[in-house]
Amino acid sequence: MRLRVAGVIVLLYAQPLTRAVRLTVDDVVHDGEAVPLRLGEPASPVPAPVAALLLEHLATRSNMNTATNPASRWLFPGRRTGQPLGSNHLSALLNKADIPIAAARGAAIRQQLLELPAPVLADALGYHDKTTSRLRNETGGTWSRYAPGDHTRSPAGWVPRRTGDS
């Protein structure tokens, strides 16, 4: 269950494992029917099948029965007191399950950048806007794709300011 949830967080939300292991149970916002995941602002919606998986994971998290972790708030509790699962350990487990994390995360964010403006994606997934803008440009996209119309000419009625105008 832990590997499935971690894999989904990487594949759907392009999150690095170092950030995924730092998520807490409070980052899973269960407000009635919807189950958004707080990665940035606003919280990202979680599709229904994934929401069920996430809620099941919350109810059956591993490493909770040890004397050191009975009240752990980490989404992926580790074996040491008050610490989340190590990202290197989780990466090794996912790689062993044939989930190529680095390639999958890169593909996930590039796919999302084809569908959403870079600043919007940055806010929603907790990335820096310069990072998403750089990745967007690497995928061959430009800002002109976000608004309809001919962006090669000036708008009608627009006159450039002359020096001395205020």
Side-chain angles (χ1 to χ4, degrees):
M1 182 62 64
R2 165 178 67 179
L3 293 181
R4 292 170 65 191
V5 171
V8 164
I9 291 171
V10 171
L11 295 172
L12 283 183
Y13 302 105
Q15 295 297 299
L17 285 178
T18 54
R19 189 178 303 156
V21 297
R22 304 296 297 177
L23 292 171
T24 67
V25 294
D26 300 321
D27 292 321
V28 179
V29 184
H30 190 198
D31 58 357
E33 293 180 23
V35 182
L37 183 60
R38 190 177 300 120
L39 302 168
E41 289 302 325
S44 298
V46 177
V50 176
L53 185 71
L54 195 54
L55 293 175
E56 184 179 342
H57 171 68
L58 283 176
T60 61
R61 290 179 294 155
S62 59
N63 294 337
M64 295 298 293
N65 293 331
T66 64
T68 58
N69 273 339
S72 177
R73 304 297 295 163
W74 297 112
L75 187 58
F76 303 104
R79 291 183 188 163
R80 294 190 304 181
T81 305
Q83 295 298 312
L85 186 64
S87 60
N88 289 338
H89 179 66
L90 186 55
S91 177
L93 292 173
L94 287 164
N95 284 326
K96 190 175 180 180
D98 293 327
I99 301 172
I101 292 303
R105 188 173 73 88
I109 194 161
R110 282 174 173 78
Q111 178 60 42
Q112 290 186 12
L113 283 167
L114 293 174
E115 299 170 11
L116 293 169
V120 172
L121 190 64
D123 287 344
L125 299 183
Y127 277 82
H128 194 280
D129 61 343
K130 288 184 180 181
T131 301
T132 55
S133 294
R134 179 182 50 79
L135 290 170
R136 176 69 175 142
N137 291 337
E138 288 175 6
T139 61
T142 63
W143 285 103
S144 63
R145 289 185 168 192
Y146 296 129
D150 182 5
H151 298 280
T152 59
R153 60 185 176 84
S154 299
W158 180 79
V159 179
R161 284 189 162 175
R162 294 184 308 257
T163 308
D165 286 352
S166 53

